[in-house]
Amino acid sequence: MTEGEKQQLGERLATVRERLVDAARAAGRRPEEIRLVAVSKLHPVEAVQAAFALGQRAFGENYVQEALAKQEAFPELAAQGGEWHCIGHVQTNKAKDVAGRFALIHTVDSVKFAETLARRLAPGANRQAVLVQVNIGDEAQKAGVPESDLPRLVESILNLPRLELRGLMCLPPFFDDGEAARPFFARLRVLRDETAARFGMTLPELSMGMSGDFVQAVREGATIVRIGSDIFGPRPARTTA
């Protein structure tokens, strides 16, 4: 990255942070309640390093092999208090590649994947923190567990002591207007609260909201927002499988 590109990244990151603080305060919340995950997929590891140097600590990756390559290229991130988050759909046969490699896996959406993930954790490894991805818009083309199957999946995860269920995640139907996504965020919050009450547990996390709608997500209770283009700029085309 050139110095000019780094400067632009810093300006975009500062703007996102300011908007996040404003959104939290407008919702009567403390800004520190909301974690910013910078979505670095398809951007070079140099961009991650530049954002890390500016104080950004959590980074989200969608593609397993790309994420592992960045982890190998930038081991200082985890060693110096940073976090990698897995925010993309993971096929069950790749559970071995993500188990224990991410601070939080946002996209558990089936009993089979949860069981395989737990089994693939190395002996003696820490529990793997996970979120359940809910198909909140009931869209056939999207991953995520249907609402009707959520209790069964949660119960299965709770029976896997090597996994730590932290909350729910969603990708609502895409809207240019963030207000149109707001009812889906509200629904995920209700599902989280109902699930916590049903199983007598605490589920602190709601991962929802991206560049176009994170302000509305914060107003509906998001504790994690996943911001990509508003930080890193336009996303390069994907050239590898």
Side-chain angles (χ1 to χ4, degrees), residues 79-145:
Q80 297 176 17
E83 295 181 346
W84 294 103
H85 289 228
C86 178
I87 62 170
H89 177 70
V90 181
Q91 296 177 344
T92 300
N93 63 3
K94 290 189 176 182
K96 65 182 184 302
D97 297 320
V98 299
R101 299 295 300 269
F102 294 86
L104 183 63
I105 296 174
H106 293 227
T107 51
V108 174
D109 62 359
S110 72
V111 172
K112 182 178 180 181
F113 178 71
E115 291 176 343
T116 305
L117 182 64
R119 190 168 61 249
R120 289 293 188 171
L121 286 167
N126 294 332
R127 297 171 72 199
Q128 174 67 65
V130 301
L131 305 177
V132 168
Q133 181 177 353
V134 180
N135 189 342
I136 201 70
D138 194 24
E139 298 173 275
Q141 75 276 20
K142 282 188 179 177
V145 65

Coordinates of all heavy atoms in Angstrom, one line a residue, residues 79-145:
A79 N -0.8 -12.4 18.2 CA 0.2 -12.3 19.3 C 0.1 -11.0 20.1 O 0.5 -10.9 21.2 CB 1.6 -12.5 18.8
Q80 N -0.4 -9.9 19.4 CA -0.5 -8.6 20.0 C -1.9 -8.2 20.3 O -2.2 -7.0 20.3 CB 0.2 -7.6 19.1 CG 1.7 -7.9 18.9 CD 2.3 -6.9 17.9 OE1 1.8 -5.8 17.6 NE2 3.5 -7.3 17.4
G81 N -2.8 -9.2 20.6 CA -4.1 -8.9 21.1 C -5.2 -8.7 20.0 O -6.3 -8.3 20.3
G82 N -4.9 -9.0 18.8 CA -5.9 -8.9 17.7 C -6.7 -10.2 17.6 O -6.4 -11.2 18.2
E83 N -7.8 -10.2 16.8 CA -8.6 -11.3 16.7 C -9.0 -11.5 15.2 O -9.3 -10.5 14.5 CB -10.0 -11.1 17.5 CG -9.8 -11.0 18.9 CD -11.2 -10.8 19.6 OE1 -12.2 -10.5 18.9 OE2 -11.3 -11.0 20.8
W84 N -9.0 -12.7 14.8 CA -9.6 -13.1 13.5 C -11.0 -13.7 13.8 O -11.2 -14.5 14.6 CB -8.7 -14.2 12.8 CG -7.4 -13.7 12.4 CD1 -6.2 -14.0 13.1 CD2 -7.0 -12.9 11.3 NE1 -5.1 -13.4 12.4 CE2 -5.6 -12.7 11.3 CE3 -7.8 -12.3 10.3 CZ2 -4.9 -12.0 10.4 CZ3 -7.1 -11.6 9.3 CH2 -5.7 -11.4 9.3
H85 N -11.9 -13.2 13.0 CA -13.3 -13.7 13.0 C -13.7 -14.4 11.7 O -13.4 -13.9 10.6 CB -14.3 -12.6 13.3 CG -14.2 -12.0 14.6 ND1 -15.4 -11.8 15.4 CD2 -13.2 -11.6 15.4 CE1 -15.0 -11.3 16.6 NE2 -13.7 -11.2 16.6
C86 N -14.3 -15.6 11.8 CA -14.7 -16.3 10.6 C -16.2 -15.9 10.4 O -17.1 -16.2 11.2 CB -14.6 -17.8 10.8 SG -15.2 -18.8 9.4
I87 N -16.5 -15.1 9.3 CA -17.8 -14.6 9.1 C -18.5 -15.2 7.8 O -19.6 -14.7 7.5 CB -17.8 -13.1 9.1 CG1 -17.0 -12.6 7.9 CG2 -17.2 -12.5 10.4 CD1 -17.1 -11.0 7.7
G88 N -17.8 -16.1 7.1 CA -18.4 -16.7 5.9 C -18.8 -18.1 6.2 O -18.4 -18.7 7.1
H89 N -19.7 -18.6 5.3 CA -20.2 -19.9 5.4 C -19.0 -20.9 5.2 O -18.1 -20.7 4.3 CB -21.2 -20.2 4.3 CG -21.7 -21.6 4.3 ND1 -22.5 -22.2 5.3 CD2 -21.5 -22.6 3.4 CE1 -22.8 -23.4 5.0 NE2 -22.2 -23.7 3.9
V90 N -19.0 -21.9 6.0 CA -17.9 -22.9 6.0 C -18.5 -24.3 5.7 O -19.4 -24.7 6.5 CB -17.1 -22.9 7.3 CG1 -15.9 -24.0 7.2 CG2 -16.5 -21.6 7.7
Q91 N -18.0 -24.9 4.7 CA -18.5 -26.3 4.4 C -18.0 -27.2 5.5 O -16.9 -27.0 6.1 CB -18.0 -26.8 3.1 CG -18.5 -26.0 1.9 CD -17.9 -26.4 0.6 OE1 -16.9 -27.1 0.5 NE2 -18.6 -26.0 -0.5
T92 N -18.8 -28.2 5.8 CA -18.4 -29.1 6.9 C -17.1 -29.8 6.7 O -16.3 -30.0 7.7 CB -19.5 -30.2 7.1 OG1 -20.8 -29.6 7.3 CG2 -19.2 -31.2 8.2
N93 N -16.7 -30.1 5.5 CA -15.4 -30.7 5.3 C -14.2 -29.7 5.5 O -13.0 -30.2 5.5 CB -15.3 -31.3 3.9 CG -15.4 -30.3 2.8 OD1 -15.5 -29.1 3.0 ND2 -15.4 -30.8 1.5
K94 N -14.5 -28.5 5.8 CA -13.4 -27.5 6.1 C -13.4 -27.1 7.6 O -12.7 -26.2 8.0 CB -13.6 -26.3 5.2 CG -13.2 -26.5 3.8 CD -13.2 -25.2 3.0 CE -12.7 -25.5 1.5 NZ -12.6 -24.2 0.7
A95 N -14.3 -27.8 8.4 CA -14.3 -27.5 9.8 C -12.9 -27.7 10.4 O -12.6 -26.9 11.3 CB -15.3 -28.4 10.5
K96 N -12.2 -28.6 9.9 CA -10.8 -28.9 10.5 C -9.9 -27.7 10.3 O -9.0 -27.4 11.1 CB -10.2 -30.1 9.9 CG -9.9 -30.0 8.4 CD -9.4 -31.3 7.8 CE -9.0 -31.1 6.3 NZ -10.1 -30.7 5.5
D97 N -10.2 -26.9 9.3 CA -9.3 -25.7 8.9 C -9.6 -24.5 9.8 O -8.8 -23.6 9.9 CB -9.5 -25.4 7.5 CG -9.0 -26.5 6.5 OD1 -8.0 -27.1 6.9 OD2 -9.7 -26.7 5.5
V98 N -10.8 -24.4 10.3 CA -11.2 -23.3 11.1 C -11.2 -23.5 12.6 O -11.2 -22.6 13.4 CB -12.6 -22.7 10.7 CG1 -12.6 -22.3 9.2 CG2 -13.7 -23.7 10.9
A99 N -11.3 -24.8 13.0 CA -11.4 -25.1 14.4 C -10.2 -24.6 15.2 O -9.0 -24.9 14.8 CB -11.5 -26.6 14.6
G100 N -10.4 -23.7 16.2 CA -9.3 -23.2 17.0 C -8.5 -22.1 16.3 O -7.5 -21.6 16.9
R101 N -8.8 -21.7 15.1 CA -8.0 -20.7 14.4 C -8.7 -19.3 14.4 O -8.1 -18.4 13.9 CB -7.9 -21.1 12.9 CG -7.1 -22.5 12.7 CD -5.7 -22.4 13.2 NE -4.9 -21.4 12.5 CZ -4.2 -21.6 11.3 NH1 -4.2 -22.9 10.8 NH2 -3.6 -20.7 10.8
F102 N -9.9 -19.2 15.0 CA -10.6 -18.0 15.0 C -11.1 -17.7 16.4 O -11.6 -18.6 17.1 CB -11.8 -18.0 14.0 CG -11.3 -18.1 12.6 CD1 -11.1 -19.3 12.0 CD2 -11.2 -16.9 11.8 CE1 -10.7 -19.4 10.7 CE2 -10.7 -17.0 10.5 CZ -10.5 -18.2 9.9
A103 N -11.0 -16.4 16.8 CA -11.6 -16.0 18.1 C -13.1 -16.3 18.2 O -13.6 -16.6 19.2 CB -11.3 -14.6 18.4
L104 N -13.8 -16.1 17.0 CA -15.2 -16.3 17.0 C -15.6 -16.8 15.6 O -15.2 -16.1 14.6 CB -15.9 -15.0 17.4 CG -17.5 -15.1 17.5 CD1 -17.9 -16.0 18.6 CD2 -18.0 -13.7 17.7
I105 N -16.4 -17.8 15.5 CA -16.9 -18.3 14.3 C -18.4 -17.9 14.3 O -19.2 -18.3 15.1 CB -16.8 -19.8 14.1 CG1 -15.3 -20.2 14.1 CG2 -17.5 -20.3 12.9 CD1 -15.0 -21.7 14.0
H106 N -18.8 -17.0 13.3 CA -20.1 -16.4 13.3 C -21.2 -17.3 12.6 O -22.4 -16.9 12.7 CB -20.1 -15.1 12.6 CG -19.3 -14.0 13.3 ND1 -19.8 -12.7 13.4 CD2 -18.1 -14.0 13.8 CE1 -18.9 -12.0 14.0 NE2 -17.8 -12.7 14.3
T107 N -20.8 -18.4 12.0 CA -21.7 -18.9 10.9 C -22.0 -20.4 11.1 O -22.1 -21.2 10.2 CB -21.0 -18.8 9.6 OG1 -19.6 -19.2 9.6 CG2 -21.0 -17.3 9.2
V108 N -22.2 -20.8 12.4 CA -22.6 -22.2 12.6 C -24.1 -22.3 12.3 O -24.9 -21.5 12.8 CB -22.4 -22.6 14.1 CG1 -23.0 -24.0 14.4 CG2 -20.9 -22.6 14.4
D109 N -24.4 -23.2 11.4 CA -25.8 -23.2 10.9 C -26.4 -24.6 10.8 O -27.5 -24.8 10.2 CB -26.0 -22.5 9.6 CG -25.2 -23.1 8.4 OD1 -24.4 -24.1 8.7 OD2 -25.2 -22.6 7.3
S110 N -25.7 -25.6 11.3 CA -26.2 -27.0 11.2 C -25.6 -27.8 12.4 O -24.5 -27.6 12.9 CB -25.9 -27.7 9.9 OG -24.5 -28.0 9.8
V111 N -26.4 -28.8 12.8 CA -25.9 -29.8 13.8 C -24.6 -30.5 13.3 O -23.7 -30.6 14.0 CB -27.0 -30.8 14.2 CG1 -26.4 -31.8 15.1 CG2 -28.2 -30.1 14.8
K112 N -24.6 -30.9 12.0 CA -23.5 -31.6 11.5 C -22.2 -30.8 11.6 O -21.2 -31.3 12.0 CB -23.8 -32.0 10.1 CG -22.7 -32.9 9.4 CD -23.0 -33.3 8.0 CE -21.9 -34.1 7.4 NZ -22.3 -34.5 6.0
F113 N -22.3 -29.5 11.2 CA -21.1 -28.7 11.2 C -20.7 -28.4 12.7 O -19.5 -28.5 13.0 CB -21.4 -27.3 10.5 CG -20.2 -26.4 10.6 CD1 -19.1 -26.6 9.8 CD2 -20.2 -25.3 11.4 CE1 -18.0 -25.8 9.9 CE2 -19.2 -24.4 11.5 CZ -18.0 -24.7 10.7
A114 N -21.6 -28.2 13.6 CA -21.3 -28.0 15.0 C -20.5 -29.2 15.5 O -19.5 -29.1 16.2 CB -22.5 -27.7 15.8
E115 N -21.1 -30.4 15.3 CA -20.5 -31.6 15.8 C -19.1 -31.8 15.2 O -18.1 -32.2 15.9 CB -21.4 -32.8 15.5 CG -22.7 -32.8 16.3 CD -23.6 -33.9 16.0 OE1 -23.4 -34.5 14.9 OE2 -24.5 -34.2 16.7
T116 N -18.9 -31.6 13.9 CA -17.6 -31.7 13.3 C -16.6 -30.7 13.8 O -15.5 -31.0 14.0 CB -17.8 -31.6 11.7 OG1 -18.8 -32.5 11.3 CG2 -16.4 -31.9 11.0
L117 N -17.1 -29.5 14.0 CA -16.2 -28.5 14.5 C -15.7 -28.8 15.9 O -14.5 -28.7 16.1 CB -17.0 -27.1 14.5 CG -16.2 -25.9 15.0 CD1 -15.1 -25.6 14.1 CD2 -17.2 -24.7 15.2
A118 N -16.6 -29.3 16.7 CA -16.1 -29.7 18.1 C -15.2 -30.8 18.0 O -14.2 -30.9 18.8 CB -17.4 -30.0 18.9
R119 N -15.4 -31.8 17.2 CA -14.5 -32.9 17.1 C -13.2 -32.6 16.5 O -12.2 -33.3 16.8 CB -15.2 -34.0 16.2 CG -14.5 -35.3 16.2 CD -15.4 -36.4 15.5 NE -15.7 -36.1 14.1 CZ -16.9 -35.7 13.6 NH1 -17.9 -35.7 14.5 NH2 -17.1 -35.5 12.3
R120 N -13.1 -31.6 15.7 CA -11.8 -31.2 15.1 C -10.9 -30.3 15.9 O -9.8 -30.0 15.5 CB -12.1 -30.5 13.7 CG -12.7 -31.4 12.7 CD -11.6 -32.4 12.2 NE -12.0 -33.2 11.1 CZ -11.3 -34.0 10.4 NH1 -10.0 -34.2 10.8 NH2 -11.7 -34.7 9.4
L121 N -11.4 -29.8 17.0 CA -10.6 -29.0 17.9 C -9.4 -29.9 18.5 O -9.6 -31.1 18.8 CB -11.4 -28.5 19.1 CG -12.3 -27.3 18.7 CD1 -13.3 -27.0 19.8 CD2 -11.5 -26.0 18.4
A122 N -8.3 -29.3 18.5 CA -7.1 -30.1 19.0 C -7.2 -30.4 20.5 O -7.9 -29.7 21.2 CB -5.8 -29.3 18.8
P123 N -6.7 -31.6 20.9 CA -6.8 -31.9 22.3 C -6.2 -30.8 23.2 O -5.1 -30.3 22.9 CB -6.0 -33.2 22.4 CG -6.0 -33.8 21.0 CD -6.1 -32.6 20.1
G124 N -6.8 -30.5 24.2 CA -6.3 -29.5 25.1 C -6.6 -28.0 24.7 O -6.2 -27.1 25.4
A125 N -7.2 -27.8 23.5 CA -7.4 -26.5 23.0 C -8.5 -25.8 23.8 O -9.4 -26.5 24.4 CB -7.8 -26.5 21.5
N126 N -8.5 -24.5 23.8 CA -9.6 -23.8 24.5 C -10.9 -24.1 23.8 O -11.0 -24.5 22.6 CB -9.3 -22.3 24.4 CG -8.1 -21.9 25.3 OD1 -7.8 -22.6 26.2 ND2 -7.5 -20.8 24.9
R127 N -12.0 -23.8 24.5 CA -13.3 -23.9 23.8 C -13.4 -23.0 22.7 O -12.9 -21.8 22.7 CB -14.4 -23.6 24.9 CG -14.5 -24.6 26.0 CD -15.5 -24.1 27.1 NE -16.8 -24.2 26.7 CZ -17.8 -23.5 27.2 NH1 -17.6 -22.7 28.2 NH2 -19.1 -23.7 26.8
Q128 N -14.1 -23.4 21.6 CA -14.3 -22.5 20.5 C -15.6 -21.7 20.6 O -16.7 -22.3 20.7 CB -14.4 -23.4 19.2 CG -14.7 -22.6 17.9 CD -13.6 -21.7 17.5 OE1 -12.5 -22.1 17.2 NE2 -13.9 -20.4 17.5
A129 N -15.4 -20.4 20.6 CA -16.6 -19.5 20.7 C -17.3 -19.5 19.3 O -16.6 -19.3 18.3 CB -16.2 -18.1 21.1
V130 N -18.6 -19.6 19.3 CA -19.4 -19.6 18.1 C -20.7 -18.8 18.2 O -21.2 -18.5 19.4 CB -19.8 -21.1 17.7 CG1 -18.5 -21.9 17.5 CG2 -20.7 -21.7 18.7
L131 N -21.2 -18.4 17.1 CA -22.5 -17.8 17.0 C -23.3 -18.7 16.0 O -22.8 -19.4 15.1 CB -22.5 -16.4 16.4 CG -21.6 -15.4 17.1 CD1 -21.7 -14.1 16.3 CD2 -22.1 -15.2 18.5
V132 N -24.6 -18.8 16.2 CA -25.5 -19.4 15.3 C -26.0 -18.4 14.2 O -26.5 -17.4 14.6 CB -26.7 -20.1 16.0 CG1 -27.8 -20.5 15.0 CG2 -26.3 -21.3 16.8
Q133 N -25.8 -18.8 13.0 CA -26.3 -17.9 11.9 C -27.8 -18.3 11.6 O -28.1 -19.5 11.3 CB -25.5 -18.1 10.6 CG -26.0 -17.2 9.5 CD -25.1 -17.2 8.2 OE1 -24.1 -17.9 8.2 NE2 -25.6 -16.6 7.2
V134 N -28.6 -17.3 11.7 CA -30.1 -17.5 11.4 C -30.4 -17.0 10.0 O -30.0 -15.8 9.7 CB -30.9 -16.8 12.5 CG1 -32.4 -17.1 12.2 CG2 -30.5 -17.4 13.9
N135 N -31.1 -17.7 9.2 CA -31.6 -17.3 7.9 C -32.8 -16.4 8.2 O -34.0 -16.8 8.0 CB -31.9 -18.4 7.0 CG -32.2 -18.0 5.6 OD1 -32.5 -16.9 5.3 ND2 -32.1 -19.0 4.7
I136 N -32.6 -15.2 8.6 CA -33.6 -14.3 9.2 C -34.7 -13.9 8.1 O -35.8 -13.6 8.4 CB -33.0 -13.1 9.8 CG1 -34.0 -12.4 10.8 CG2 -32.5 -12.1 8.8 CD1 -34.2 -13.3 12.1
G137 N -34.3 -13.9 6.8 CA -35.2 -13.5 5.8 C -35.8 -14.7 5.1 O -36.5 -14.5 4.1
D138 N -35.5 -15.9 5.5 CA -36.0 -17.2 4.9 C -35.7 -17.2 3.4 O -36.6 -17.4 2.6 CB -37.5 -17.3 5.2 CG -38.0 -18.7 4.9 OD1 -37.1 -19.7 4.9 OD2 -39.2 -18.9 4.6
E139 N -34.4 -16.9 3.1 CA -34.0 -16.8 1.7 C -33.3 -18.1 1.3 O -32.3 -18.5 1.9 CB -33.1 -15.6 1.5 CG -33.7 -14.3 1.8 CD -32.7 -13.1 1.8 OE1 -32.0 -12.9 2.8 OE2 -32.6 -12.5 0.7
A140 N -33.8 -18.7 0.2 CA -33.3 -20.0 -0.2 C -31.8 -19.9 -0.6 O -31.1 -20.9 -0.4 CB -34.1 -20.5 -1.4
Q141 N -31.3 -18.8 -1.1 CA -30.0 -18.7 -1.6 C -29.0 -18.4 -0.5 O -27.8 -18.3 -0.7 CB -29.9 -17.6 -2.7 CG -29.9 -16.2 -2.2 CD -31.3 -15.6 -1.9 OE1 -32.3 -16.4 -1.8 NE2 -31.5 -14.3 -1.9
K142 N -29.4 -18.2 0.8 CA -28.5 -17.8 1.8 C -28.4 -18.9 2.9 O -29.3 -19.7 3.1 CB -29.1 -16.6 2.6 CG -28.8 -15.3 1.8 CD -29.1 -14.0 2.7 CE -28.8 -12.8 1.9 NZ -29.3 -11.6 2.7
A143 N -27.2 -19.0 3.5 CA -27.0 -19.9 4.5 C -27.7 -19.5 5.8 O -28.2 -18.4 5.9 CB -25.5 -20.1 4.8
G144 N -27.7 -20.3 6.8 CA -28.3 -20.0 8.1 C -29.4 -21.0 8.4 O -30.1 -21.5 7.5
V145 N -29.6 -21.2 9.7 CA -30.6 -22.1 10.1 C -32.0 -21.4 10.1 O -32.1 -20.3 10.4 CB -30.3 -22.6 11.6 CG1 -30.3 -21.5 12.6 CG2 -31.2 -23.7 12.0

